[in-house]
Structures are given as C-alpha cells and as structure tokens.
C-alpha cells in the first residue's frame, strides 16, 4: 500500500511539474530587441495588381492575378475559386502556392481538355510554364467512383496521368 501511495505521489508531482514547465515555456517573454517568431505564408497581392509571382522549383512563374475577379473567396485560408463551370472548378491556395482543378462532369476526357485550356488562359501562361506549377487535377467520388482519389495532373506534363477508361 505504501509503495503504491508513494508511486502515485511521484506521478502527481511529475504531472504538476510538466504542466508548469509547458505553461511557462509557452508564455515566456521575449527580450525587447527580439520579436516572437511568426509563421509567415505567401499572401496574394492586392487585387489592383495585374500579375502575381508563383515560386517553383524551376524558377518563378508570373501569372495573371486570379484574385482580381474570383468566383469565391475562402476566408479561413485566403484561397480563391477563380473558375467554375458545370464541367470543372479551379482554386488557388496561396499558402502552398498550389492549384486544384476538380472535374465535375462524368465525361472526364472532355472536361479535362476544357479545364486545362481554361487554366492556361486564366493564368496567361504557356503549357510549359503550367508544368512548373503545383497542380492537382482530381475527380470527386460522386462524379466517377473509378477515377476518384487520384491526382492526375495536367495531361501534357511529364507527371500527368491518363484518366481511367470507362
């Protein structure tokens, strides 16, 4: 009984010490000449800017400012939906400077072709430049069970994957 009691007391003291340590380290003061570290993330430029620069592994790509006239702004992560049709939806996520193209039509081949052309036109870039960007092209489960759950990429890029046959 005494060993169990002492063991519980030691566990309790360790718990109190750990909690106090965590509390103090999270609320410590920074010296006046040092600022608290802040996580930074790329921000979209103001909507009066005509171009934005996307940083890629193969260099910067200057694209049309897709924030100027978005279909929808998503406040919690500063992302924007910049194209939306019955066949596809396109979004930009400034946090990771990535794009998502979601095919919405079960005629996947035609939807992909139209989406890829519109993507290049919307950004005002070449096919080659679009291959430098981080682009996810996907299909929701309710559009095609067989095609859902994969990133197909852009068909004309080296990492592009073919859509499944019907």
């Amino acid at each position: 009984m005494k060993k169990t009691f002492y063991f519980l007391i030691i566990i309790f003291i360790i718990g109190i010490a750990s909690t106090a340590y965590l509390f103090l380290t999270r609320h410590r003061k920074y010296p006046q000449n040092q600022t608290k570290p802040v996580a930074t993330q790329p921000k979209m430029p103001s909507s009066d800017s005509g171009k934005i620069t996307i940083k890629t592994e193969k260099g910067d790509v200057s694209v049309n400012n897709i924030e100027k006239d978005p279909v929808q702004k998503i406040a919690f992560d500063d992302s924007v939906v910049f194209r939306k049709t019955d066949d596809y939806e396109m979004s930009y996520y400034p946090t990771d400077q990535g794009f998502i193209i979601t095919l919405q039509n079960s005629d996947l081949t035609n939807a992909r072709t139209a989406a890829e052309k519109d993507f290049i036109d919307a950004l005002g870039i070449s096919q080659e430049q679009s291959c430098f960007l981080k682009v996810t092209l996907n299909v929701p489960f309710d559009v095609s069970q067989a095609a859902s759950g994969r990133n197909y990429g852009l068909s004309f890029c080296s990492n592009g994957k073919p859509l499944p046959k019907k």
Side-chain angles (χ1 to χ4, degrees):
M1 173 78 175
K2 281 187 176 186
K3 287 183 181 180
T4 305
F5 178 72
Y6 289 124
F7 180 72
L8 290 174
I9 293 293
I10 291 172
I11 296 294
F12 180 74
I13 290 170
I14 291 172
I16 295 286
S18 298
T19 303
Y21 174 77
L22 289 173
F23 178 77
L24 292 174
T25 57
R26 289 183 186 220
H27 292 90
R28 81 178 151 193
K29 302 286 183 194
Y30 288 86
Q32 286 183 335
N33 63 348
Q34 182 181 359
T35 59
K36 183 177 179 181
V38 177
T40 59
Q41 54 180 292
K43 292 286 185 186
M44 294 285 284
S46 64
S47 55
D48 59 346
S49 176
K51 297 277 186 178
I52 60 174
T53 301
I54 308 291
K55 300 204 176 292
T56 74
E57 293 177 358
K58 299 196 178 193
D60 294 350
V61 177
S62 181
V63 302
N64 291 335
N65 185 351
I66 48 186
E67 188 187 42
K68 266 188 172 178
D69 192 22
V71 174
Q72 177 183 5
K73 287 186 179 186
I74 303 168
F76 75 90
D77 64 358
D78 293 329
S79 62
V80 293
V81 175
F82 62 97
R83 288 284 196 269
K84 188 170 188 169
T85 72
D86 290 340
D87 293 335
Y88 53 83
E89 179 176 301
M90 296 180 203
S91 304
Y92 172 65
Y93 294 83
T95 303
D96 69 350
Q97 295 193 322
F99 297 88
I100 296 179
I101 301 171
T102 303
L103 301 182
Q104 305 280 354
N105 186 332
S106 59
D107 182 356
L108 299 177
T109 303
N110 287 334
R112 183 183 200 177
T113 301
E116 290 174 341
K117 180 183 181 325
D118 195 14
F119 180 73
I120 290 169
D121 291 346
L123 297 181
I125 58 175
S126 67
Q127 276 189 359
E128 181 184 5
Q129 289 173 310
S130 69
C131 293
F132 299 160
L133 302 174
K134 184 191 291 186
V135 180
T136 299
L137 189 138
N138 61 36
V139 179
F141 185 79
D142 63 334
V143 173
S144 171
Q145 294 177 11
S148 68
R150 292 193 62 198
N151 175 10
Y152 293 97
L154 299 172
S155 64
F156 45 80
C157 296
S158 62
N159 65 344
K161 296 174 181 64
L163 293 164
K165 305 283 186 215
K166 287 189 177 184

